[in-house]
Amino acid sequence: MNDLDQLVSAALAEFTAAPTPAELENAKARFMGKSGRVTELLKGLAALSHDEKKTRGAEINQTKQRIEAALAARRQAMAAEQLEAQLRAEALDVSLPGRQRGVGGLHPVSRTIERIESIFGSMGFDVAEGPEIETDWMSFTALNNPENHPARSMQDTFYVDMKDEQGQWLNLRPHTSPMQVRYARAHAARYASELATGQPMPEIRVIAPGRTYRVDSDATHSPMFHQCEGLWIGENVSFKDLKVVFTDFCRKFFESDELQLRFRPSFFPFTEPSAEIDIAFASGPLKGQWLEVAGSGQVHPNVVRNYGLDPERHIGFAFGMGPDRLTMLRYGVNDLRLFFDGDLRFLQQFR
Ligand code: PHE
């Protein structure tokens, strides 16, 4: 191996040993730089004769080309290594299962409320919503609960430690009955001129579903629960209409024409007469058992007055039912708390 071959192997060894691009460039300088080993050889040519210069010069040039080729090869290898490392570092595991979009579903109680709305909607009832934080007047006084009357404590109301602009104490509504008053008053205001001139006013026919609150908690009571109020007021609306409408509703809701209903005398300050409505299934595990599903009655004249209407002319009925209870009966759920625990294993069964 002559000196030039040795030089090429030395360069190759140094290039291969260079761990980084910067070290490679340093190694290159040691051979090709201003005072590099190849450059020194070329400088040495000056001392040679014309002929010697020719052959030696050609040999040195060849050597230079071989070193340059080795350098280029090493540079390329380094770039390839770097790319490889980067690809490895940024690799995606394509075998991971993708994130799927879950199939959502309506909460069973929401389903029930939609069902109630659609059945009453088909009977010409409007759907209204109202505030969950109510005034004392709306929750009690307007509904014929005299102040300080013991009937107020029938409902273990949550009071809000705050008064409204009129200085009235606020509460979390213990029932949806304030919506009777809100809706009927708005209706009476809309038809004020008809009412003033004795012309007929369109009937009030509305349901008002929503959340209600009482200090109550066990397997069949939750401090937050749902109610759906119903109100039908006209010039000739009677208890018989309540029976027809509610029977029709229950039979449609439970999809059974054999379902029995019972109107059991009861008491509410805002209705007179009043009745609890019980149902009994004609088949299934609860067959023949009377189950309470709603409170109801003919609206008390004092309440009709608070609607802004004349009780001598406008009469009708109201009812309040529990969509949570209806949902439990419809799906055979025995603990109300399951509806509000947010446990997907339970909720997914209703998708
Ligand atoms: N508001 C009553 C309750 O919460 C139910 C009801 C509504 C009764 C309308 C009669 C008329 O128990």
Side-chain angles (χ1 to χ4, degrees), residues 155 174-177 180 214 225 227 229-230 268 270-271 274-275 294-297 318-321:
Q155 288 152 354
H175 52 181
T176 45
S177 299
Q180 290 176 26
R214 288 181 205 175
F225 59 106
Q227 278 199 344
E229 198 75 9
F268 298 103
F270 34 93
T271 47
S274 304
S296 67
F319 57 83
M321 60 181 152

PDB file of all heavy atoms in Angstrom, residues 155 174-177 180 214 225 227 229-230 268 270-271 274-275 294-297 318-321, ligand 1:
ATOM      1  N   GLN A 155     -94.976  20.551  52.195  1.00  0.00           N
ATOM      2  CA  GLN A 155     -93.833  20.405  51.301  1.00  0.00           C
ATOM      3  C   GLN A 155     -92.593  20.929  51.994  1.00  0.00           C
ATOM      4  O   GLN A 155     -92.557  22.062  52.427  1.00  0.00           O
ATOM      5  CB  GLN A 155     -94.087  21.190  50.009  1.00  0.00           C
ATOM      6  CG  GLN A 155     -95.130  20.492  49.171  1.00  0.00           C
ATOM      7  CD  GLN A 155     -95.892  21.428  48.298  1.00  0.00           C
ATOM      8  OE1 GLN A 155     -95.743  22.642  48.380  1.00  0.00           O
ATOM      9  NE2 GLN A 155     -96.719  20.878  47.462  1.00  0.00           N
ATOM     10  N   PRO A 174     -91.266  23.772  44.961  1.00  0.00           N
ATOM     11  CA  PRO A 174     -91.495  22.415  45.462  1.00  0.00           C
ATOM     12  C   PRO A 174     -92.456  21.641  44.558  1.00  0.00           C
ATOM     13  O   PRO A 174     -92.680  20.450  44.769  1.00  0.00           O
ATOM     14  CB  PRO A 174     -92.112  22.646  46.833  1.00  0.00           C
ATOM     15  CG  PRO A 174     -92.787  23.970  46.734  1.00  0.00           C
ATOM     16  CD  PRO A 174     -92.012  24.782  45.732  1.00  0.00           C
ATOM     17  N   HIS A 175     -93.047  22.325  43.575  1.00  0.00           N
ATOM     18  CA  HIS A 175     -93.927  21.667  42.595  1.00  0.00           C
ATOM     19  C   HIS A 175     -93.988  22.548  41.354  1.00  0.00           C
ATOM     20  O   HIS A 175     -93.479  23.674  41.360  1.00  0.00           O
ATOM     21  CB  HIS A 175     -95.334  21.403  43.175  1.00  0.00           C
ATOM     22  CG  HIS A 175     -95.997  22.605  43.792  1.00  0.00           C
ATOM     23  ND1 HIS A 175     -97.238  22.558  44.376  1.00  0.00           N
ATOM     24  CD2 HIS A 175     -95.602  23.900  43.912  1.00  0.00           C
ATOM     25  CE1 HIS A 175     -97.565  23.749  44.828  1.00  0.00           C
ATOM     26  NE2 HIS A 175     -96.599  24.573  44.561  1.00  0.00           N
ATOM     27  N   THR A 176     -94.572  22.012  40.272  1.00  0.00           N
ATOM     28  CA  THR A 176     -94.672  22.814  39.049  1.00  0.00           C
ATOM     29  C   THR A 176     -95.943  23.656  39.040  1.00  0.00           C
ATOM     30  O   THR A 176     -96.181  24.394  38.081  1.00  0.00           O
ATOM     31  CB  THR A 176     -94.639  21.908  37.792  1.00  0.00           C
ATOM     32  OG1 THR A 176     -95.500  20.785  38.011  1.00  0.00           O
ATOM     33  CG2 THR A 176     -93.227  21.438  37.489  1.00  0.00           C
ATOM     34  N   SER A 177     -96.738  23.594  40.113  1.00  0.00           N
ATOM     35  CA  SER A 177     -98.006  24.338  40.125  1.00  0.00           C
ATOM     36  C   SER A 177     -97.868  25.852  39.918  1.00  0.00           C
ATOM     37  O   SER A 177     -98.789  26.469  39.365  1.00  0.00           O
ATOM     38  CB  SER A 177     -98.777  24.032  41.412  1.00  0.00           C
ATOM     39  OG  SER A 177     -99.070  22.644  41.460  1.00  0.00           O
ATOM     40  N   GLN A 180     -99.003  27.000  36.578  1.00  0.00           N
ATOM     41  CA  GLN A 180    -100.432  27.274  36.296  1.00  0.00           C
ATOM     42  C   GLN A 180    -100.637  28.774  36.305  1.00  0.00           C
ATOM     43  O   GLN A 180    -101.259  29.352  35.416  1.00  0.00           O
ATOM     44  CB  GLN A 180    -101.333  26.719  37.413  1.00  0.00           C
ATOM     45  CG  GLN A 180    -101.459  25.242  37.539  1.00  0.00           C
ATOM     46  CD  GLN A 180    -102.326  24.894  38.763  1.00  0.00           C
ATOM     47  OE1 GLN A 180    -103.172  25.677  39.197  1.00  0.00           O
ATOM     48  NE2 GLN A 180    -102.120  23.716  39.305  1.00  0.00           N
ATOM     49  N   ARG A 214     -87.516  19.235  46.838  1.00  0.00           N
ATOM     50  CA  ARG A 214     -88.004  19.124  48.213  1.00  0.00           C
ATOM     51  C   ARG A 214     -86.960  18.421  49.075  1.00  0.00           C
ATOM     52  O   ARG A 214     -86.190  17.604  48.563  1.00  0.00           O
ATOM     53  CB  ARG A 214     -89.297  18.308  48.285  1.00  0.00           C
ATOM     54  CG  ARG A 214     -90.485  19.042  47.728  1.00  0.00           C
ATOM     55  CD  ARG A 214     -91.751  18.215  47.839  1.00  0.00           C
ATOM     56  NE  ARG A 214     -92.699  18.654  46.827  1.00  0.00           N
ATOM     57  CZ  ARG A 214     -93.871  18.089  46.587  1.00  0.00           C
ATOM     58  NH1 ARG A 214     -94.251  17.053  47.307  1.00  0.00           N
ATOM     59  NH2 ARG A 214     -94.658  18.558  45.649  1.00  0.00           N
ATOM     60  N   PHE A 225     -86.386  16.344  41.702  1.00  0.00           N
ATOM     61  CA  PHE A 225     -87.172  15.366  40.960  1.00  0.00           C
ATOM     62  C   PHE A 225     -87.947  16.110  39.875  1.00  0.00           C
ATOM     63  O   PHE A 225     -87.747  17.311  39.685  1.00  0.00           O
ATOM     64  CB  PHE A 225     -88.105  14.589  41.915  1.00  0.00           C
ATOM     65  CG  PHE A 225     -89.079  15.449  42.680  1.00  0.00           C
ATOM     66  CD1 PHE A 225     -90.433  15.483  42.341  1.00  0.00           C
ATOM     67  CD2 PHE A 225     -88.657  16.252  43.730  1.00  0.00           C
ATOM     68  CE1 PHE A 225     -91.332  16.275  43.040  1.00  0.00           C
ATOM     69  CE2 PHE A 225     -89.555  17.048  44.437  1.00  0.00           C
ATOM     70  CZ  PHE A 225     -90.891  17.060  44.087  1.00  0.00           C
ATOM     71  N   GLN A 227     -91.632  17.047  37.816  1.00  0.00           N
ATOM     72  CA  GLN A 227     -93.090  17.047  37.807  1.00  0.00           C
ATOM     73  C   GLN A 227     -93.547  17.517  36.441  1.00  0.00           C
ATOM     74  O   GLN A 227     -92.792  18.137  35.695  1.00  0.00           O
ATOM     75  CB  GLN A 227     -93.650  18.000  38.866  1.00  0.00           C
ATOM     76  CG  GLN A 227     -93.705  17.400  40.262  1.00  0.00           C
ATOM     77  CD  GLN A 227     -94.664  18.151  41.174  1.00  0.00           C
ATOM     78  OE1 GLN A 227     -95.066  19.285  40.877  1.00  0.00           O
ATOM     79  NE2 GLN A 227     -95.009  17.539  42.287  1.00  0.00           N
ATOM     80  N   GLU A 229     -96.938  19.585  35.244  1.00  0.00           N
ATOM     81  CA  GLU A 229     -98.215  20.195  35.579  1.00  0.00           C
ATOM     82  C   GLU A 229     -99.119  20.151  34.356  1.00  0.00           C
ATOM     83  O   GLU A 229     -98.637  20.161  33.220  1.00  0.00           O
ATOM     84  CB  GLU A 229     -97.957  21.667  35.952  1.00  0.00           C
ATOM     85  CG  GLU A 229     -99.064  22.316  36.727  1.00  0.00           C
ATOM     86  CD  GLU A 229     -99.076  21.839  38.177  1.00  0.00           C
ATOM     87  OE1 GLU A 229     -98.128  21.151  38.589  1.00  0.00           O
ATOM     88  OE2 GLU A 229    -100.051  22.162  38.883  1.00  0.00           O
ATOM     89  N   GLY A 230    -100.410  20.102  34.586  1.00  0.00           N
ATOM     90  CA  GLY A 230    -101.354  20.215  33.478  1.00  0.00           C
ATOM     91  C   GLY A 230    -102.461  21.172  33.876  1.00  0.00           C
ATOM     92  O   GLY A 230    -102.842  21.221  35.060  1.00  0.00           O
ATOM     93  N   PHE A 268    -105.843  19.310  48.243  1.00  0.00           N
ATOM     94  CA  PHE A 268    -104.803  20.283  47.880  1.00  0.00           C
ATOM     95  C   PHE A 268    -105.434  21.646  48.091  1.00  0.00           C
ATOM     96  O   PHE A 268    -106.623  21.815  47.785  1.00  0.00           O
ATOM     97  CB  PHE A 268    -104.377  20.128  46.413  1.00  0.00           C
ATOM     98  CG  PHE A 268    -103.774  18.789  46.099  1.00  0.00           C
ATOM     99  CD1 PHE A 268    -104.518  17.810  45.436  1.00  0.00           C
ATOM    100  CD2 PHE A 268    -102.462  18.496  46.471  1.00  0.00           C
ATOM    101  CE1 PHE A 268    -103.966  16.574  45.156  1.00  0.00           C
ATOM    102  CE2 PHE A 268    -101.914  17.260  46.186  1.00  0.00           C
ATOM    103  CZ  PHE A 268    -102.660  16.288  45.525  1.00  0.00           C
ATOM    104  N   PHE A 270    -105.147  24.226  46.421  1.00  0.00           N
ATOM    105  CA  PHE A 270    -105.438  24.931  45.160  1.00  0.00           C
ATOM    106  C   PHE A 270    -106.477  24.254  44.289  1.00  0.00           C
ATOM    107  O   PHE A 270    -106.783  24.731  43.194  1.00  0.00           O
ATOM    108  CB  PHE A 270    -104.146  25.167  44.363  1.00  0.00           C
ATOM    109  CG  PHE A 270    -103.122  24.062  44.520  1.00  0.00           C
ATOM    110  CD1 PHE A 270    -103.075  23.001  43.628  1.00  0.00           C
ATOM    111  CD2 PHE A 270    -102.217  24.098  45.575  1.00  0.00           C
ATOM    112  CE1 PHE A 270    -102.120  21.996  43.784  1.00  0.00           C
ATOM    113  CE2 PHE A 270    -101.268  23.084  45.739  1.00  0.00           C
ATOM    114  CZ  PHE A 270    -101.217  22.033  44.843  1.00  0.00           C
ATOM    115  N   THR A 271    -107.027  23.122  44.750  1.00  0.00           N
ATOM    116  CA  THR A 271    -108.104  22.485  43.980  1.00  0.00           C
ATOM    117  C   THR A 271    -109.240  22.093  44.933  1.00  0.00           C
ATOM    118  O   THR A 271    -109.017  21.797  46.103  1.00  0.00           O
ATOM    119  CB  THR A 271    -107.591  21.216  43.246  1.00  0.00           C
ATOM    120  OG1 THR A 271    -106.829  20.431  44.153  1.00  0.00           O
ATOM    121  CG2 THR A 271    -106.756  21.565  42.035  1.00  0.00           C
ATOM    122  N   SER A 274    -110.571  17.716  45.141  1.00  0.00           N
ATOM    123  CA  SER A 274    -109.240  17.233  44.758  1.00  0.00           C
ATOM    124  C   SER A 274    -109.228  15.711  44.723  1.00  0.00           C
ATOM    125  O   SER A 274    -109.997  15.068  45.440  1.00  0.00           O
ATOM    126  CB  SER A 274    -108.193  17.692  45.778  1.00  0.00           C
ATOM    127  OG  SER A 274    -108.206  19.090  45.938  1.00  0.00           O
ATOM    128  N   ALA A 275    -108.348  15.176  43.927  1.00  0.00           N
ATOM    129  CA  ALA A 275    -108.230  13.712  43.857  1.00  0.00           C
ATOM    130  C   ALA A 275    -106.805  13.291  43.550  1.00  0.00           C
ATOM    131  O   ALA A 275    -106.104  13.958  42.787  1.00  0.00           O
ATOM    132  CB  ALA A 275    -109.160  13.167  42.770  1.00  0.00           C
ATOM    133  N   ALA A 294    -100.564  10.772  40.160  1.00  0.00           N
ATOM    134  CA  ALA A 294    -100.768  12.224  40.016  1.00  0.00           C
ATOM    135  C   ALA A 294    -101.704  12.759  41.081  1.00  0.00           C
ATOM    136  O   ALA A 294    -102.482  12.011  41.681  1.00  0.00           O
ATOM    137  CB  ALA A 294    -101.346  12.541  38.635  1.00  0.00           C
ATOM    138  N   GLY A 295    -101.588  14.060  41.318  1.00  0.00           N
ATOM    139  CA  GLY A 295    -102.574  14.781  42.114  1.00  0.00           C
ATOM    140  C   GLY A 295    -103.377  15.623  41.140  1.00  0.00           C
ATOM    141  O   GLY A 295    -102.873  16.006  40.089  1.00  0.00           O
ATOM    142  N   SER A 296    -104.638  15.902  41.492  1.00  0.00           N
ATOM    143  CA  SER A 296    -105.454  16.630  40.510  1.00  0.00           C
ATOM    144  C   SER A 296    -106.641  17.287  41.202  1.00  0.00           C
ATOM    145  O   SER A 296    -106.879  17.072  42.397  1.00  0.00           O
ATOM    146  CB  SER A 296    -105.980  15.658  39.455  1.00  0.00           C
ATOM    147  OG  SER A 296    -106.901  14.756  40.071  1.00  0.00           O
ATOM    148  N   GLY A 297    -107.391  18.028  40.443  1.00  0.00           N
ATOM    149  CA  GLY A 297    -108.625  18.588  40.981  1.00  0.00           C
ATOM    150  C   GLY A 297    -109.132  19.756  40.169  1.00  0.00           C
ATOM    151  O   GLY A 297    -108.477  20.230  39.244  1.00  0.00           O
ATOM    152  N   ALA A 318    -106.712  21.054  37.080  1.00  0.00           N
ATOM    153  CA  ALA A 318    -105.254  20.996  37.024  1.00  0.00           C
ATOM    154  C   ALA A 318    -104.828  19.623  37.519  1.00  0.00           C
ATOM    155  O   ALA A 318    -105.564  18.947  38.246  1.00  0.00           O
ATOM    156  CB  ALA A 318    -104.645  22.077  37.907  1.00  0.00           C
ATOM    157  N   PHE A 319    -103.667  19.210  37.096  1.00  0.00           N
ATOM    158  CA  PHE A 319    -103.109  17.978  37.646  1.00  0.00           C
ATOM    159  C   PHE A 319    -101.597  18.132  37.692  1.00  0.00           C
ATOM    160  O   PHE A 319    -101.014  18.978  37.014  1.00  0.00           O
ATOM    161  CB  PHE A 319    -103.503  16.750  36.817  1.00  0.00           C
ATOM    162  CG  PHE A 319    -103.119  16.832  35.365  1.00  0.00           C
ATOM    163  CD1 PHE A 319    -101.845  16.500  34.938  1.00  0.00           C
ATOM    164  CD2 PHE A 319    -104.063  17.232  34.416  1.00  0.00           C
ATOM    165  CE1 PHE A 319    -101.506  16.583  33.593  1.00  0.00           C
ATOM    166  CE2 PHE A 319    -103.728  17.314  33.070  1.00  0.00           C
ATOM    167  CZ  PHE A 319    -102.444  16.994  32.653  1.00  0.00           C
ATOM    168  N   GLY A 320    -100.982  17.336  38.530  1.00  0.00           N
ATOM    169  CA  GLY A 320     -99.528  17.324  38.615  1.00  0.00           C
ATOM    170  C   GLY A 320     -99.074  15.890  38.739  1.00  0.00           C
ATOM    171  O   GLY A 320     -99.508  15.168  39.628  1.00  0.00           O
ATOM    172  N   MET A 321     -98.234  15.474  37.787  1.00  0.00           N
ATOM    173  CA  MET A 321     -97.786  14.075  37.853  1.00  0.00           C
ATOM    174  C   MET A 321     -96.267  14.007  37.940  1.00  0.00           C
ATOM    175  O   MET A 321     -95.578  15.006  37.744  1.00  0.00           O
ATOM    176  CB  MET A 321     -98.287  13.315  36.634  1.00  0.00           C
ATOM    177  CG  MET A 321     -97.791  13.882  35.340  1.00  0.00           C
ATOM    178  SD  MET A 321     -98.465  12.931  33.975  1.00  0.00           S
ATOM    179  CE  MET A 321     -98.493  14.154  32.693  1.00  0.00           C
TER     180      MET A 321
HETATM  181  N1  PHE B   1     -98.750  20.268  43.116  1.00  0.00           N
HETATM  182  C1  PHE B   1     -99.276  19.042  43.656  1.00  0.00           C
HETATM  183  C2  PHE B   1     -98.125  18.255  44.277  1.00  0.00           C
HETATM  184  O1  PHE B   1     -97.002  18.624  44.113  1.00  0.00           O
HETATM  185  C3  PHE B   1     -99.924  18.193  42.586  1.00  0.00           C
HETATM  186  C4  PHE B   1    -101.156  18.823  42.022  1.00  0.00           C
HETATM  187  C5  PHE B   1    -101.074  19.623  40.909  1.00  0.00           C
HETATM  188  C6  PHE B   1    -102.384  18.600  42.623  1.00  0.00           C
HETATM  189  C7  PHE B   1    -102.224  20.190  40.372  1.00  0.00           C
HETATM  190  C8  PHE B   1    -103.515  19.161  42.101  1.00  0.00           C
HETATM  191  C9  PHE B   1    -103.439  19.934  40.990  1.00  0.00           C
HETATM  192  O2  PHE B   1     -98.350  17.278  44.968  1.00  0.00           O
END
